Amino acid sequence: MPALLASGRDADVYALDERRVLRRYRRGGDVTAEAAIMRYVSDHGYPAPRVYAADGADLILERLEGPTMLQALHDGTIDLHSGATVLADLLERLHKVRVRAATDPGTRILHLDLHPENVVMTEGGPVVIDWRNSTEGPPELDVAMTALIIASVAVLPGPFADQAEPFLDTLLSCTRDNPLSQLEAAARRRTADPNVTAEEKAHLQEAKLLVTTAARAHF
């Protein structure tokens, strides 16, 4: 078995060689749609890992060298303002990618899990990973989901809790998309997500209030 590099909430990542990793979902599933969206946004200049193969619950992806944004924030190689600005820029850049089939001009490609743990800070720039939740819809939903995830960190005990609220405030100051119109939809998705912990769901209303307060300061 290849060496385990990292484990997330629903997938493990193994080293295959110096340029490739295997991402395997523990509950199984079909990675076809995830691979397709990663290839599509990459073809349009967006920073996502190269996909070498996709089969069942397995993705063979480009091996990225560098810390996640969260790790970089922890060790001080990137400050809060810079990190939040980078994340806001990644959201905006994604929402500029031409949608594949939708006719509604307000429809965009959404990541729906874009937060500091899903950004790898490589020498060539930030790269966005973990596209399993990606879909198409209003960009405000993507911003609302990112904001709600960060707010959930702020309202729970943890090593980044004290930094999460100012990070959220800076993020929302840098985006043009007001998350409030899609905040309830984002909360419903979080509630239905089996990878969201019971503790996170129990504090969801508190996180929503934090996002509402931060958004109203900027929109």
Side-chain angles (χ1 to χ4, degrees), residues 147-166 168 190 196-214:
L148 195 56
I149 292 169
I150 294 167
S152 294
V153 175
V155 300
L156 289 169
F160 192 63
D162 291 342
Q163 298 172 293
E165 187 170 347
L168 172 64
R190 291 284 287 170
V196 176
T197 68
E199 186 178 25
E200 287 169 331
K201 291 177 182 179
H203 288 81
L204 195 56
Q205 290 300 320
E206 191 178 350
K208 282 171 54 182
L209 179 60
L210 183 57
V211 173
T212 300
T213 301

Side-chain angles (χ1 to χ4, degrees), residues 117-130:
E117 282 189 285
N118 281 340
V119 179
V120 178
M121 308 300 290
T122 74
E123 286 189 2
V127 179
V128 177
I129 62 173
D130 194 357

